[in-house]
Amino acid sequence: MIRFLTRRILVGVMTLIVISVIVFGLFFAVPSSPAKVMCGKNCDAASIAAVERRLEIDQPIVEQYTKFMKGIFVGRTYAPGSDFEVRCDAPCLGFSFRNSEPVTDILKRTIPVTLSIVAGAAVLWLLIGVSLGMISALRKGTLFDKIAIGVSLVGASMQVFFFGLILLFLLVYTTGLLPFPSYTPITEDPVAWATGLILPWVTLGFLNSAIYARLSRAQMLETLSEDYVRTARAKGLPLRRVYTKHALRAAITPIVTIAGLDIGASLGGTFITETIFGLRGLGKETVEAVGFLNLPIVVATVLLAAVFIVVANLIVDVLYAVIDPRVRLS
Amino acid sequence: MTAPASAPQAPDTSTGPYLQVNDLRVQFPTEDGVVKAVDGVSFSVERGRTLGIVGESGSGKSVTSLTIMGLHNTKRARISGEILVGGRNVVGMSEEQTRRLRGRDMSMIFQDPLSALHPYYKVGAQIAEAYKIHHSNASKSECRKRAIDMLGRVGIPQPARRADQYPHEFSGGMRQRAMIAMALVNDPDLLIADEPTTALDVTVQAQILDLLEDLQREFNSAIIMITHDLGVVAQVADEVLVMYGGRAVEFGTTEQVMRRPQHPYTWGLLASVPSLHGDADADLVPIKGNPPSLINLPSGCAFHPRCRYAGRNGDLSFTEVPELRQVQERGHLVACHLSEADRKRFYAEDIAPSAGVAQ
């Protein structure tokens, strides 16, 4: 188990290093120099050069990359000895080109928003989606099954911006049942946190639970036709126990994988949901930064999204090994 | 015979066969028509005896065994007839009542032990679970002890250590032994083995069959051995039932069916087994054609499209379903329109010189 873990962690770290190199390359791949963007429209060569020196992008690529990575772990000082000397503490990801706000602060502000949205929605879609799918599978062919599958087909084919706006119209503008979505830190006021996020949770949760319902139903049906389920019945186990202990455990395995990856990917930003409900999360911040060529933010958020996915992968691998004893050997 | 209202208590089973199947019919209505998987089959097995059921895939042998175990969805299958297990009729019994019989009074081992054992649970735990469910008073450690005990009895070395391993850590033969241990953990009176050796190496097959015979002597249980392998039947069965298209076409002692078979289908089965004693270059004679569709059985004798002797007795083969009738020899039943004299002549002339197994 320890060897398995170390190997997976090593692979994860290597992946992140590769991704960081590629992402860092963004600085040089974009057609216009960041210095020009920062400097504004009417800028002469001298001031561009000054900005470049200040941002330390006049140095060789390798040196820049090392400084960038070093900044993440131990912090860095930009343009030491000059008039523009700026200290950036670890984890240093640079400063926003627009208002010189440290990128770390921006992340600290936006991550909790996205995290709250995804956490609530994931609980909803896993609880509702998986149980709906499992029950449908056990009652295959009944009215319940047909309705559940019909609704989930509608859900799976809908889009966040459509469904979300309908909810917004019905629940906020027309009936006033819910306040307009907003983010309050859970530490400040848990009730306001929850009420402010119900709409994004329901929107994202419903659409995803549709997909999870179909997935779980298919998985469960497949598992129910397995030989070991027949064996469990032949032993004389009551059906309830056959389903919960023998079938569910096997059917849930692939769902864990997909859920882990979905959650990891969503943490990187739920741009559409955040935009519709006016929440300043990671996704909205990233897309805006792309629009302004605000490279430090783009690099940081892309890197962060990669970290989420790599970590989610790692967790899924470990969970898989816990659930399925056959994985431990390989 | 009325089904006991409460949980089936063991009635008097000291006399007569432990399992008695009378005119069993199992049908599955589908969109294409009604699948007549089993069509009026009767047989019985006594304690300590082994009945071999032989037939191609789709002959109804597996459906018969699953029906005895009550493992069919009663909503989808139409089941009629009588299945008396220790005097209790399983047909029409509630799921809860059959559940209590399953694993305790009758149990089953399956063809592929790798897929029949749950990949996520330890072998010992799976066996202990089978014991626990019918001995709710037994403590966890008692169940585990019993499981280890059974693993030892089916010949698994170091049973205490092996009990904590997963099925994928067992070899094929060991897995089937574990499966047998699980099936026998509650001392069932009836054991149904559905092709228990088909998925195993040839060298392991004989070991498993020996084991089953030893355990049968020890537990005095009735065994149904379902197989398409006549070698297996010759080795372990006391009586043989040959099935074709959901019906019984020949029944008798192993000696009768293997040495003096009377149904052309049985001849076909025997002729497609290689013989160690005959001409080494002689070709095997397969039964031509395919097993019939169980939705649309051929008229008359279901075997007639594949039978080279069909039509030797007027039109009967094509118009009338042959009944299972006693031949001269006691206890030997055949469902064939040929006269007994003809059957004996055809067998002696055409089949015996090249047939396998029993020669």
Side-chain angles (χ1 to χ4, degrees):
Chain A
M1 193 66 185
I2 289 169
R3 273 186 61 193
F4 172 85
L5 259 183
T6 21
R7 204 170 53 222
R8 288 301 154 102
I9 290 175
L10 275 179
V11 171
V13 171
M14 303 258 279
T15 316
L16 285 179
I17 292 174
V18 172
I19 290 173
S20 74
V21 171
I22 295 171
V23 171
F24 195 75
L26 274 181
F27 269 113
F28 306 93
V30 289
S32 72
S33 150
K36 256 187 207 152
V37 178
M38 269 197 93
C39 184
K41 264 182 188 155
N42 306 314
C43 216
D44 52 27
S47 41
I48 288 183
V51 174
E52 278 183 349
R53 216 171 313 123
R54 192 155 59 111
L55 294 175
E56 296 190 331
I57 53 178
D58 53 345
Q59 293 164 5
I61 297 179
V62 180
E63 201 167 314
Q64 285 190 48
Y65 176 73
T66 346
K67 280 193 174 158
F68 174 75
M69 291 309 284
K70 218 175 125 192
I72 294 179
F73 294 102
V74 295
R76 69 190 275 195
T77 308
Y78 284 94
S82 70
D83 296 343
F84 317 109
E85 184 179 314
V86 184
R87 173 67 196 165
C88 175
D89 288 326
C92 171
L93 290 159
F95 297 91
S96 162
F97 284 173
R98 286 183 77 198
N99 52 12
S100 297
E101 190 184 2
V103 174
T104 327
D105 288 359
I106 296 175
L107 292 183
K108 271 185 201 147
R109 184 155 40 81
T110 52
I111 288 174
V113 179
T114 302
L115 197 67
S116 300
I117 296 175
V118 173
V123 168
L124 270 187
W125 88 57
L126 287 177
L127 275 183
I128 298 176
V130 174
S131 40
L132 211 62
M134 297 289 170
I135 297 170
S136 281
L138 296 181
R139 302 195 178 165
K140 190 185 162 207
T142 60
L143 190 64
F144 177 91
D145 178 34
K146 281 172 187 152
I147 291 175
I149 288 311
V151 170
S152 73
L153 180 65
V154 173
S157 34
M158 252 201 288
Q159 294 291 339
V160 173
F161 50 81
F162 178 69
F163 184 63
L165 288 178
I166 287 179
L167 283 187
L168 203 59
F169 177 73
L170 289 179
L171 298 178
V172 178
Y173 293 115
T174 312
T175 57
L177 286 173
L178 287 172
F180 192 86
S182 63
Y183 176 75
T184 320
I186 189 170
T187 44
E188 266 173 38
D189 184 353
V191 177
W193 173 76
T195 42
L197 290 174
I198 284 181
L199 269 186
W201 287 346
V202 170
T203 309
L204 210 56
F206 173 70
L207 298 190
N208 274 317
S209 53
I211 298 163
Y212 277 79
R214 300 180 77 77
L215 183 77
S216 328
R217 180 178 181 272
Q219 273 307 325
M220 190 65 175
L221 283 180
E222 200 185 311
T223 311
L224 286 178
S225 65
E226 291 282 354
D227 283 359
Y228 52 77
V229 170
R230 188 183 55 188
T231 309
R233 291 195 63 207
K235 283 202 263 193
L237 297 186
L239 277 181
R240 176 184 291 267
R241 198 172 154 89
V242 172
Y243 293 151
T244 51
K245 192 174 167 198
H246 290 255
L248 192 63
R249 170 126 185 228
I252 210 91
T253 316
I255 296 171
V256 168
T257 315
I258 295 172
L261 297 182
D262 271 356
I263 292 173
S266 309
L267 284 177
T270 45
F271 168 65
I272 300 177
T273 314
E274 289 165 17
T275 308
I276 292 171
F277 298 116
L279 299 163
R280 288 205 67 89
L282 212 47
K284 200 163 153 64
E285 195 68 46
T286 312
V287 174
E288 278 184 16
V290 169
F292 288 111
L293 264 175
N294 204 339
L295 286 175
I297 297 180
V298 177
V299 170
T301 48
V302 171
L303 206 54
L304 192 67
V307 171
F308 284 139
I309 289 175
V310 168
V311 171
N313 250 312
L314 188 71
I315 293 175
V316 163
D317 279 349
V318 172
L319 274 183
Y320 222 104
V322 171
I323 298 178
D324 188 344
R326 286 171 302 182
V327 177
R328 282 166 218 172
L329 289 176
S330 53
Chain B
M1 184 78 224
T2 51
S6 63
Q9 291 304 309
D12 179 34
T13 53
S14 49
T15 54
Y18 184 73
L19 172 75
Q20 204 164 346
V21 175
N22 295 324
D23 196 30
L24 179 69
R25 285 165 208 275
V26 184
Q27 302 182 340
F28 301 96
T30 66
E31 281 174 12
D32 301 325
V34 178
V35 177
K36 292 181 180 170
V38 180
D39 197 17
V41 170
S42 305
F43 58 86
S44 61
V45 198
E46 284 170 33
R47 277 173 213 269
R49 305 281 285 177
T50 301
L51 172 73
I53 301 185
V54 191
E56 290 165 297
S57 27
S59 61
K61 53 193 175 28
S62 288
V63 174
T64 305
S65 61
L66 289 175
T67 308
I68 296 171
M69 293 288 291
L71 288 177
H72 278 306
N73 186 341
T74 40
K75 283 179 202 139
R76 257 175 246 148
R78 285 208 297 256
I79 303 168
S80 69
E82 235 183 6
I83 300 172
L84 300 174
V85 177
R88 294 152 299 197
N89 191 358
V90 177
V91 175
M93 216 183 238
S94 74
E95 161 67 22
E96 177 58 20
Q97 283 172 325
T98 32
R99 179 188 77 71
R100 284 169 191 240
L101 294 179
R102 280 200 292 265
R104 190 188 68 189
D105 294 9
M106 53 185 179
S107 64
M108 191 160 176
I109 53 184
F110 299 98
Q111 180 172 338
D112 181 0
L114 181 60
S115 59
L117 288 166
H118 201 296
Y120 295 175
Y121 294 108
K122 289 171 183 165
V123 171
Q126 297 191 43
I127 299 173
E129 185 185 32
Y131 185 71
K132 175 78 181 166
I133 200 71
H134 295 294
H135 298 80
S136 44
N137 295 328
S139 73
K140 222 176 162 183
S141 62
E142 276 175 315
C143 294
R144 184 183 149 81
K145 203 173 153 291
R146 171 82 185 163
I148 294 172
D149 233 41
M150 282 310 296
L151 283 175
R153 273 162 96 174
V154 295
I156 290 181
Q158 295 180 279
R161 191 176 66 84
R162 301 290 266 173
D164 286 328
Q165 291 185 333
Y166 292 93
H168 70 266
E169 296 172 276
F170 278 52
S171 69
M174 285 296 154
R175 251 177 241 140
Q176 194 59 292
R177 283 172 195 267
M179 194 71 211
I180 293 171
M182 184 153 85
L184 295 181
V185 73
N186 294 309
D187 295 331
D189 296 298
L190 171 67
L191 176 68
I192 301 175
D194 190 353
E195 312 235 4
T197 56
T198 308
L200 302 178
D201 283 349
V202 187
T203 46
V204 182
Q205 287 186 5
Q207 292 176 9
I208 294 292
L209 293 177
D210 282 347
L211 174 70
L212 279 175
E213 283 194 296
D214 290 347
L215 291 169
Q216 181 177 35
R217 236 169 277 133
E218 197 179 327
F219 291 90
N220 194 34
S221 44
I223 293 184
I224 296 180
M225 177 71 68
I226 294 168
T227 182
H228 60 259
D229 186 339
L230 290 169
V232 170
V233 168
Q235 191 182 342
V236 300
D238 299 302
E239 276 104 28
V240 182
L241 178 75
V242 182
M243 287 187 70
Y244 186 81
R247 297 178 66 92
V249 295
E250 183 158 7
F251 176 81
T253 63
T254 306
E255 161 91 8
Q256 288 168 338
V257 175
M258 303 297 270
R259 291 206 185 271
R260 297 179 292 282
Q262 297 227 1
H263 196 283
Y265 176 62
T266 317
W267 300 344
L269 288 178
L270 287 166
S272 45
V273 175
S275 164
L276 279 180
H277 306 287
D279 180 359
D281 293 328
D283 289 334
L284 291 177
V285 189
I287 306 174
K288 61 180 182 181
N290 292 310
S293 146
L294 293 173
I295 294 178
N296 234 329
L297 275 178
S299 62
C301 172
F303 187 57
H304 84 250
R306 303 169 73 187
C307 180
R308 55 196 275 217
Y309 307 101
R312 300 289 176 110
N313 193 358
D315 276 345
L316 281 178
S317 297
F318 313 111
T319 55
E320 198 177 300
V321 180
E323 292 296 318
L324 200 58
R325 269 188 289 263
Q326 171 106 23
V327 301
Q328 260 181 352
E329 203 176 351
R330 228 182 98 85
H332 194 176
L333 309 169
V334 177
C336 181
H337 287 305
L338 292 173
S339 70
E340 193 168 348
D342 277 350
R343 291 198 296 251
K344 281 185 171 162
R345 187 163 55 83
F346 290 140
Y347 179 69
E349 286 170 7
D350 301 347
I351 314 297
S354 61
V357 181
Q359 296 304 306

